[in-house]
Amino acid sequence: MKSLAYAALAALLAQQTAAHATFQQLWVDGVDYGSQCARLPPSNSPIGSVTSTQMRCNNGPRAASKCPVKAGSTVTVEMHQQNGDRSCNNEAIGGAHYGPVMVYMSKVSDAFTADGSTGWFKIFQDGWAKNPSGRVGDDDFWGTKDLNTCCGKMDVKIPSDLPSGDYLLRAEAIALHAAGPGGGAQPYVTCYQLTVEGNGGNANPPTVTFPGAYRANDPGIAVSIHGVMSNYVVPGPPVYSGGTEKKAGSPCTGCEATCRVGSGPSATLAPAPQPTSAPGGGSPGGGNGGCSVPRWQQCGGQGYSGCTQCEAGSTCRAQNQWYSQCT
């Protein structure tokens, strides 16, 4: 009986993990930069609390490079369930993980050393829209559904009035399938390191901090989407005047519709000089040395490139080909 219980638990974990996802790659004006400037989180699991410091950059180690972008250009964030898998055959985020998609930026002195504790301003959101043919919130239009429709890609305009300099760009999806007044919302966050070439802009948007921008009882977080919905309030501040919004359920356009891996331009960045210490601790250059994975989170699997050392008292165990977990 014990073996059957363990097998059932392993199957459940594998099913849940298949629905997890990570923002991984970045396109700049249709050029594929892959994950060169992405601080890839150590796990494709959601962040456990909106009040955690993980809400800044999800413990992602420093990326090797900074992606160059121009103010007014379009970047395309890309999400998939497994690290390194960019196939359109699988949903970007499966398991009926419906919810909003948001993008923030933070002006920093150096995108390598920044730890995400400075102020963030929202430049983009794709939230919710009523589906006249639907019955409950699950049937409505959501930002994550648009990600799935567009092979994991979401076009985001870099505001044209931004001053030049280094920034962190923070892509976030919040899955609401298990949310309610008692909690259960699941944020997925990745930060990208950017250098913006401006045109003399002087925008100075109001900012929020993470943690702090969201509360567990916010109406867009403590919400059940399994009943009839008449409205939805996207968490966090409004998009500032220089940013953009996408109406949930809108068709894929631009790079969302046309960019395909291997069939268009790509760019390889030379690794930039690395500081002597990693953001939030760890090894210089963002390697695995000095990091540890919390219990119940991912520590290995095919295509996984994050930290493999489990926290004290837990061991990395394979659940399936794609996923090993600290237990």
Side-chain angles (χ1 to χ4, degrees), residues 199-241:
N199 53 6
N202 59 1
N204 186 26
T207 62
V208 296
T209 58
F210 289 100
Y214 306 159
R215 296 171 300 176
N217 61 352
D218 283 348
I221 292 174
V223 59
S224 174
I225 65 172
H226 308 307
V228 177
M229 296 181 64
S230 58
N231 73 302
Y232 175 74
V233 180
V234 177
V239 175
Y240 99 93
S241 59

Side-chain angles (χ1 to χ4, degrees), residues 79-207:
M79 169 178 269
H80 294 283
Q81 294 183 37
Q82 301 296 339
N83 284 353
D85 176 17
R86 303 181 73 176
S87 169
C88 296
N89 295 328
N90 303 315
E91 288 185 317
I93 178 168
H97 281 31
Y98 305 142
V101 176
M102 295 157 287
V103 177
Y104 294 79
M105 292 183 73
S106 179
K107 182 76 169 69
V108 296
S109 58
D110 186 341
F112 280 123
T113 59
D115 64 2
S117 61
T118 50
W120 297 87
F121 52 95
K122 188 186 286 185
I123 66 166
F124 174 86
Q125 68 184 24
D126 180 353
W128 168 91
K130 186 70 175 176
N131 179 2
S133 302
R135 185 176 59 87
V136 294
D138 300 81
D139 303 326
D140 291 337
F141 302 116
W142 292 97
T144 56
K145 288 188 178 183
D146 290 343
L147 276 174
N148 287 337
T149 300
C150 301
C151 190
K153 296 188 291 294
M154 186 75 75
D155 286 348
V156 179
K157 182 182 177 182
I158 301 297
S160 58
D161 58 0
L162 289 185
S164 59
D166 276 14
Y167 291 79
L168 292 179
L169 182 143
R170 177 182 177 276
E172 175 183 27
I174 301 181
L176 299 172
H177 61 292
Q186 298 183 356
Y188 295 83
V189 173
T190 294
C191 287
Y192 299 85
Q193 300 170 176
L194 305 182
T195 297
V196 174
E197 301 171 4
N199 53 6
N202 59 1
N204 186 26
T207 62

